Amino acid sequence: MRDALYIDGRWAKPLQGGTFDVINPATEEVIHKAPSATAEDVDLAVKAARRAFDDGSWSKLPGAERGRYLRSIAAAIRERLAEISRLEVLDNGKPYPEAEWDIGDAAGCFEFYAGLAEELDGKRTETVALPDARFVSKAVREPVGVAGAIIPWNYPLLMAAWKVAPALAAGCTVVLKPAEQTSLTALELAAIAIDVGLPPGVLNIVTGPGSKVGQAIVDHPDVDKLAFTGSGPIGSKIMEGAARDIKRISLELGGKSPFVVFDDADVEEAVEWIMFGIFWNQGQVCSATSRVLVQENLYAPLLDRLVEEAKRIRIGDGLAEGTLLGPLVSRKQYDNVLAAIAKAKADGATIASGGGRAPNFNKGYYVEPTVITDAPLDSDAWREEIFGPVVCVRSFGTEEEAVRLANDSRFGLAAAVMSADDERAERVAAAFRAGIVWINCSQPTFTEAPWGGYKQSGIGRELGRWGLENYLETKQVTRFVSEDPWAWYIKKGEA
Ligand code: NAD
């Protein structure tokens, strides 16, 4: 576990020597003192990133060479997969097999953007057809500049990869701030950057509280672009901060995503995907399908099976063999989720399963997998993100009603539909007002496909080629090629 920030290619202790506790959510024990940066450290990090961008040593490097660095980072992550996955579990609480999956995906993300960096060399310049033969024009793609990346705690290294990989591929330099709850694997990324010889200043990693370290990145005039994943209220604040200097922004915020299950669906398949949609990563997933709408005929049998299976989920320390549900990430998140369940009850909902602290644990932030029914349509349980293993289930009659209920949300991150009728599934997929739609499944995420939200779930898209766009500007270069003078003011023979 590392005890320094990563600035200008080197380990750097915070100037004021601050630290903060890293807590294992399974045991509530302090397992490390992580470095806590201040605005002064952020300033050094941004200056290093600025220098590395402005001197062209990274931004003007051929994409193929940047791609080589990205591939080396991916290979180093894969080499240390088991060790990094274990750190992720200690820090975040998730079951080890999930962590392994995430870390493998993080490596895959660096590989994917290595490919796009290589391709960029051939795609940087595009000829623009003009209707006026006196001019020729081209559009040139250039990196945006210094990117500030601020990420949450639910997929610590993977969220870092989603931002750092495309930014570096585009030729940007980066200042990354992980969430204070989960900084360990981001600091391992720093160690990897040092090992692969990433040039100084290209990537900088500063850890510490969002209100100080994150805010200092947002406020820094030398940051050109902000990429943020986290909660809506902080996203709003970041947008406000960015507005001052017209910084570019991309936001990945929360959701309350619906999962519509028609009565021609297979009950076992539906229950499996509903569970994957809400209990995976303890439900701490922005795209979790936390509102399940089941067609009337299927409602009772599906609910029975869901409750049965929710009660059987093996809860435990993420490092214990067979664990399928670990602790929530922090005391705060644990308190928030239990408070949301209590509020649901007070608002008239029924707790069909779970609803409290998981029994048999004296320590650790364990919450039972919870199934809620009868949540009123205007209740917080139905409308607000809980970000825990808590699903609300209700029935619907017609397709039209299902679509109306599904879209009745200020969020629009994801939506899922299950039906044996492909045409109906496609119709509903088209009707969803959401950036990510799953048919006959929920949650599978591919680096190649665009990721992001409609409505209050965010701005912009990450992943795939769309993710690269976040870090590119477009420059028009137009040349006057006519043999004849322009002669608007100065006409030949009149001087
Ligand atoms: P959060 O918004 O509190 O924190 C996210 C990040 O922002 C952290 O690194 C935090 O330190 C930083 N931060 C906090 N205050 C800041 C400020 N004033 N200026 C700059 N940075 C600041 O969210 P969280 O509690 O870490 O994560 C949970 C939320 O994130 C959930 O609501 C969830 O929906 C959302 N989320 C969304 C996605 C997505 O892809 N859309 C992914 C993961 C999490």
Side-chain angles (χ1 to χ4, degrees):
M1 294 181 209
R2 313 287 167 169
D3 58 3
L5 313 168
Y6 172 57
I7 297 175
D8 209 7
R10 286 185 297 269
W11 293 114
K13 289 281 177 127
L15 289 173
Q16 292 184 19
T19 62
F20 64 91
D21 291 346
V22 174
I23 295 169
N24 176 350
T27 61
E28 303 182 31
E29 280 164 11
V30 176
I31 53 170
H32 185 55
K33 299 266 183 202
S36 189
T38 60
E40 294 167 271
D41 301 299
V42 170
D43 185 49
L44 291 179
V46 174
K47 286 200 168 110
R50 185 83 259 163
R51 203 179 325 113
F53 184 81
D54 289 347
D55 71 13
S57 57
W58 183 256
S59 50
K60 300 245 185 320
L61 208 60
E65 292 202 22
R66 288 198 302 273
R68 256 201 295 281
Y69 283 106
L70 296 186
R71 287 194 196 284
S72 305
I73 292 173
I77 293 174
R78 287 202 196 283
E79 255 165 49
R80 297 180 50 197
L81 190 99
E83 176 203 347
I84 296 175
S85 303
R86 191 170 173 278
L87 272 183
E88 202 79 302
V89 176
L90 290 175
D91 213 4
N92 166 281
K94 65 179 67 199
Y96 182 83
E98 291 192 25
E100 257 190 336
W101 191 351
D102 295 355
I103 306 306
D105 274 359
C109 184
F110 278 101
E111 276 155 6
F112 176 79
Y113 282 105
L116 291 203
E118 289 153 3
E119 277 177 25
L120 198 56
D121 286 335
K123 290 186 174 165
R124 196 173 277 288
T125 302
E126 188 185 325
T127 304
V128 179
L130 298 179
D132 185 332
R134 293 171 299 171
F135 299 91
V136 293
S137 187
K138 61 184 176 184
V140 185
R141 310 308 309 277
E142 294 186 342
V144 167
V146 174
I150 300 174
I151 57 170
W153 41 257
N154 56 347
Y155 291 94
L157 189 69
L158 188 57
M159 289 297 111
W162 280 25
K163 293 183 169 39
V164 172
L168 297 190
C172 290
T173 57
V174 177
V175 177
L176 169 73
K177 193 206 92 68
E180 51 272 46
Q181 296 84 349
T182 53
S183 296
L184 297 182
T185 52
L187 291 173
E188 287 314 307
L189 180 62
I192 286 172
I194 292 173
D195 287 350
V196 305
L198 196 68
V202 168
L203 173 63
N204 305 270
I205 301 178
V206 285
T207 51
S211 56
K212 283 191 187 153
V213 184
Q215 194 66 48
I217 295 174
V218 172
D219 292 340
H220 204 295
D222 272 340
V223 171
D224 301 294
K225 191 234 152 45
L226 293 167
F228 172 78
T229 296
S231 63
I234 302 295
S236 253
K237 216 170 160 186
I238 285 178
M239 200 164 165
E240 238 174 74
R244 269 193 312 270
D245 309 327
I246 320 289
K247 290 185 171 77
R248 279 87 186 108
I249 54 164
S250 45
L251 302 175
E252 299 284 347
L253 308 174
K256 189 78 184 178
S257 300
F259 191 160
V260 173
V261 182
F262 286 96
D263 61 10
D264 56 359
D266 177 80
V267 176
E268 296 303 302
E269 279 293 297
V271 170
E272 169 67 25
W273 284 112
I274 290 168
M275 291 173 69
F276 197 70
I278 192 63
F279 298 139
W280 191 45
N281 204 23
Q282 295 66 246
Q284 302 164 131
V285 181
C286 50
S287 56
T289 33
S290 51
R291 289 186 295 142
V292 173
L293 292 152
V294 186
Q295 202 163 21
E296 276 151 6
N297 284 337
L298 199 69
Y299 182 76
L302 184 145
L303 185 64
D304 283 352
R305 285 290 296 127
L306 179 61
V307 165
E308 215 169 53
E309 288 297 328
K311 286 187 199 299
R312 281 161 42 110
I313 292 182
R314 170 104 55 107
I315 304 174
D317 187 319
L319 290 176
E321 188 73 29
T323 293
L324 281 173
L325 193 97
L328 300 191
V329 71
S330 64
R331 160 73 56 187
K332 181 165 165 262
Q333 194 62 16
Y334 170 86
D335 288 343
N336 286 348
V337 170
L338 289 184
I341 297 170
K343 175 90 177 18
K345 274 193 241 176
D347 287 343
T350 304
I351 309 300
S353 179
R357 180 181 174 75
N360 310 326
F361 293 95
N362 298 326
K363 287 270 180 217
Y365 310 127
Y366 294 98
V367 173
E368 291 176 299
T370 299
V371 179
I372 294 179
T373 57
D374 312 317
L377 286 176
D378 61 353
S379 65
D380 284 356
W382 186 256
R383 306 201 78 82
E384 300 300 324
E385 183 172 53
I386 295 178
F387 225 59
V390 183
V391 64
C392 290
V393 189
R394 71 181 293 126
S395 67
F396 70 89
T398 62
E399 181 178 322
E400 182 270 329
E401 184 192 4
V403 168
R404 184 168 43 77
L405 286 169
N407 284 339
D408 181 18
S409 170
R410 66 190 161 87
F411 299 112
L413 187 56
V417 55
M418 184 169 266
S419 171
D421 177 346
D422 287 348
E423 265 179 41
R424 173 159 66 183
E426 286 291 342
R427 229 175 17 245
V428 171
F432 282 144
R433 297 280 302 151
I436 303 147
V437 172
W438 286 290
I439 297 178
N440 295 343
C441 61
S442 173
Q443 305 309 314
T445 299
F446 297 92
T447 313
E448 294 75 8
W451 181 272
Y454 282 23
K455 301 194 255 183
Q456 292 186 26
S457 289
I459 294 180
R461 293 292 175 273
E462 294 194 290
L463 297 185
R465 63 181 169 76
W466 301 268
L468 196 68
E469 293 296 319
N470 283 322
Y471 301 96
L472 291 171
E473 290 275 20
T474 305
K475 179 187 277 179
Q476 166 197 157
V477 180
T478 298
R479 180 195 290 258
F480 181 60
V481 291
S482 169
E483 298 290 317
D484 300 323
W486 187 236
W488 186 268
Y489 293 104
I490 304 167
K491 314 258 191 232
K492 227 179 183 172
E494 284 183 6

